[in-house]
Amino acid sequence: MTADKATIIGLSLVIAMSSAAHADTLQNIIDKGEVAIGVKADFAPWGMRDTNGNVVGLEIDLANDLARKLSEQAGKEITARTVVVTTSNRMEFLEQGRIDVLLATMADTPERRRVVGILQPSYYSSGIAVLAKKDSGIDGWESLEGKSICGIQGSWFNKDYGLKNGAEMVVFAGNAEAEAALLAGRCAGWLYDDASFRARLQSNPEKWADYTIATPVVADAPWGAGVRKQDLAAPIAAAVSDAITEWHKSGTIVELEEKWGLGASDWVLQMQEKCLAENPICDSVRDDSE
């Protein structure tokens, strides 16, 4: 046997062993009595730290409810172990097996579907905009030309809506750093998710009194829960998809929006109607035409 052939066989065995290890992620979760769920800690109110340092928020509530639903399905207690991820490492954590499920403000894009398994139905939706001081001179996308704009590492829209509009992007590892830079005047505006901006403006109007969403909201994109690519047709994917459908039908997400000071969004209300009407967009079978 040649060295090259031995290497190929060895790599094939490693890949096969890796696939086998994740062959039934749901059963592994049941055996351990624990599901590891990736969540954000820098995207209030979906994921943030409270005064005691605990990670709380809308997606953490969903993570705990997912564990409850898995417990009912398994007939034994399954606890949720939340693992803090960032925009730049969340898919990597999933691929590496450090988490079983991803619930971390991840917009569903074709590029991301090539890396991880993004589930249908989506559970939330948001678009892209710029938050800026009212006197910043930013009053639309073309007005970003030549201005320093804060962004987050790993965000796909830094290029498509920042650089392509002539902005000088200043990127940070997380939201806390980008927010601090904006408030300190290091950036004329912050290019990010409009849902995050709405939450800030509504929850702390005094702090953000001088700021506004200064561009039209574009690229509205649903948020998807994620599993490993090889789990997309596995029982864990079906279980998470079923949970999301039930969250819509029961009004759970509407209730959590109210709990976390967001108010009911049109998209969530429309998804509730669609899921109650058994619209195909609410089933677990992905159809990109839906």
Side-chain angles (χ1 to χ4, degrees):
M1 181 184 296
T2 65
D4 286 345
K5 187 173 182 181
T7 299
I8 292 170
I9 292 174
L11 288 172
S12 298
L13 288 172
V14 169
I15 293 170
M17 291 171 65
S18 175
S19 298
H22 299 305
D24 195 343
T25 297
L26 180 57
Q27 188 59 53
N28 291 339
I29 289 168
I30 293 170
D31 291 343
K32 292 185 298 182
E34 176 185 89
V35 55
I37 304 176
V39 298
K40 290 290 212 62
D42 64 352
F43 201 124
W46 288 270
M48 57 193 173
R49 294 193 183 275
D50 64 15
T51 54
N52 296 317
N54 299 314
V55 182
V56 298
L58 192 154
E59 287 179 330
I60 287 72
D61 287 348
L62 292 179
N64 289 324
D65 192 67
L66 174 61
R68 182 184 64 80
K69 292 182 184 302
L70 293 178
S71 298
E72 291 176 351
Q73 179 177 335
K76 62 174 286 189
E77 184 179 3
I78 308 288
T79 60
R81 177 169 63 86
T82 53
V83 179
V84 173
V85 298
T86 66
T87 299
S88 58
N89 70 19
R90 57 191 168 188
M91 291 191 292
E92 180 182 353
F93 271 40
L94 193 58
E95 287 184 284
Q96 292 174 345
R98 298 170 70 174
I99 55 177
D100 303 306
V101 179
L102 189 59
L103 278 172
T105 70
M106 182 173 65
D108 180 1
T109 68
E111 293 76 18
R112 286 172 177 158
R113 286 184 215 162
R114 287 195 283 270
V115 180
V116 298
I118 301 181
L119 303 177
Q120 184 170 297
S122 302
Y123 65 95
Y124 210 79
S125 184
S126 63
I128 307 306
V130 172
L131 182 70
K133 268 195 166 182
K134 294 174 182 176
D135 62 359
S136 66
I138 298 176
D139 59 1
W141 290 104
E142 293 182 357
S143 65
L144 300 187
E145 179 75 36
K147 293 183 173 64
S148 295
I149 300 297
C150 292
I152 306 297
Q153 292 174 4
S155 296
W156 64 270
F157 42 79
N158 289 342
K159 176 181 178 181
D160 289 357
Y161 290 97
L163 295 175
K164 287 187 178 179
N165 281 301
E168 298 177 5
M169 295 301 301
V170 184
V171 296
F172 298 90
N175 286 0
E177 297 90 338
E179 178 182 304
L182 176 67
L183 292 171
R186 293 172 57 192
C187 306
W190 179 7
L191 173 63
Y192 200 52
D193 192 288
D194 79 298
S196 178
F197 296 153
R198 286 192 293 107
R200 283 171 167 77
L201 295 172
Q202 291 176 23
S203 64
N204 199 336
E206 292 184 5
K207 178 179 180 179
W208 298 101
D210 296 332
Y211 292 80
T212 187
I213 296 178
T215 62
V217 177
V218 296
D220 190 69
W223 297 2
V227 295
R228 284 180 284 273
K229 191 78 170 178
Q230 61 265 37
D231 280 340
L232 197 53
I236 183 60
V240 178
S241 291
D242 288 346
I244 296 169
T245 300
E246 181 57 28
W247 290 338
H248 285 304
K249 286 183 175 181
S250 65
T252 295
I253 298 177
V254 176
E255 293 172 2
L256 290 177
E257 283 188 307
E258 295 293 342
K259 172 184 174 179
W260 292 102
L262 292 166
S265 62
D266 290 342
W267 186 89
V268 170
L269 291 173
Q270 290 166 10
M271 281 296 289
Q272 184 180 26
E273 292 179 1
K274 290 175 181 178
C275 290
L276 286 171
E278 305 295 337
N279 188 299
I281 201 172
C282 295
D283 63 34
S284 61
V285 180
R286 176 172 297 286
D287 182 345
D288 293 337
S289 67
E290 293 175 355

